[in-house]
Amino acid sequence: MMPGEPPSSIVPAIRTWWPRIRRLVTFAFFATVAVLLLMHLRTVDWHGVFSAMRSHSIATMLFACLLAVASHALYSCFDLLGRHLTGHHLKTRLVMAINFICYAFNLNLGALVGGVAFRYRLYSRFGLGVDAVTQVLATSMLTNWLGYLLLAGAAFAATPLPVPEDWPVGTAGLRAAGGFLSTLALSYLALCALSRRRVWTVRGHAIRLPSARLALLQLLMSSANWLMIAGILHFLLGAQTPFMLVLGVLLAAAFAGVVTHVPAGLGVLEAVFLALLAGRLPDTAILAALLAYRAIYYLAPLILAAIMYLAFESVSGDKMAARSAG
């Protein structure tokens, strides 16, 4: 026996117990997801959701649904950028399916469950290593927030938000914050274009810096996604409020949701919209639009994502790895 090797008697025990441990971990993960999903669905005011959806015209709901489909389809391409950087060979439709599942659970249950845990869980079942998954995750998250940074600067500067007097940040503060956020986005583009160091190590994981062209694509994809989300809310609000104002309120609500760490921004989204659109629209109209938005953009994709996830879990790891080749 070589130094550092486990005793020969331990190896058979590990081989015997490891499948059981894996099954136990899988069951624990699945049970946790199921519990979180049920808890989330119990918090939904289903009567209010259906009433809100009935209050809108068929044309408005149809257009909002089309924008939601386009937004989710675009976001599902974010992980393809990570595939380009890592060079892994999972099929495009598989990567998009995993990205969609993660995004839907991320929206409803939070980033730790949807954005992180689901990516590591699903990608590992298809044979991707930790470093590759970390690169894909980092690229996707960065892509999402790049467009936010740029648009927040433009929205806060172009259309000053009607900030309530009791808010800690006034209109001037939001403009300054917007300028800073836009500078961050542009600095990232400059870093990708000019930096000689192309690989950075974060907590022991190598993160590859994309090219300037890919960074610009990240910015354009993310910006388009945020604009489509704002478009959904703009039409559900009856197009009675300037689009740039709706965009600014959405971006402010997204930031508030991240700071408060509330899954799906429950209550946060409504509070910000009611505070910043007070006097422009009746509270009932705002709440009806937000409930319809949650049903279209959060709940419907979550149901589909849950079905897709169950389908993935029902297939053995070997079969999944074989199907993903190519």
Side-chain angles (χ1 to χ4, degrees), residues 10-218:
I10 296 179
V11 175
I14 294 176
R15 291 176 178 173
T16 301
W17 284 98
W18 180 242
R20 299 179 183 179
I21 295 173
R22 287 186 61 181
R23 286 194 293 270
L24 181 61
V25 171
T26 299
F27 175 79
F29 180 82
F30 185 78
T32 301
V33 170
V35 169
L36 289 174
L37 185 58
L38 289 174
M39 290 175 61
H40 174 69
L41 294 177
R42 288 185 62 184
T43 64
V44 177
D45 178 9
W46 292 103
H47 177 73
V49 166
F50 292 129
S51 296
M53 295 179 73
R54 287 195 297 268
S55 69
H56 292 89
S57 67
I58 296 178
T60 297
M61 291 298 297
L62 179 60
F63 194 75
C65 289
L66 290 175
L67 279 177
V69 170
S71 172
H72 276 274
L74 177 58
Y75 196 101
S76 296
C77 295
F78 285 10
D79 279 14
L80 295 176
L81 303 176
R83 184 184 70 170
H84 176 78
L85 285 173
T86 60
H88 75 72
H89 300 294
L90 296 186
K91 293 180 180 179
T92 297
R93 63 176 180 270
L94 175 61
V95 173
M96 292 183 65
I98 292 175
N99 199 170
F100 170 76
I101 292 172
C102 295
Y103 184 44
F105 277 93
N106 183 8
L107 287 172
N108 290 275
L109 301 182
L112 272 180
V113 176
V116 179
F118 268 80
R119 270 192 178 86
Y120 281 102
R121 168 67 182 167
L122 291 173
Y123 276 124
S124 65
R125 285 175 64 79
F126 287 98
L128 243 59
V130 173
D131 285 343
V133 180
T134 301
Q135 175 77 72
V136 170
L137 171 62
T139 303
S140 186
M141 293 179 66
L142 184 58
T143 300
N144 178 56
W145 290 107
L146 266 178
Y148 176 91
L149 295 174
L150 184 66
L151 292 176
F156 295 164
T159 307
L161 299 179
V163 178
E165 294 182 359
D166 58 345
W167 276 38
V169 179
T171 301
L174 277 179
R175 281 181 169 175
F180 174 72
L181 295 176
S182 293
T183 300
L184 285 179
L186 297 176
S187 298
Y188 173 76
L189 292 179
L191 178 67
C192 293
L194 304 175
S195 177
R196 294 183 179 180
R197 182 180 177 184
R198 309 309 298 178
V199 179
W200 300 74
T201 302
V202 180
R203 294 186 176 182
H205 299 289
I207 303 297
R208 185 172 299 277
L209 198 65
S211 64
R213 181 178 298 180
L214 188 60
L216 181 60
L217 181 59
Q218 286 180 278

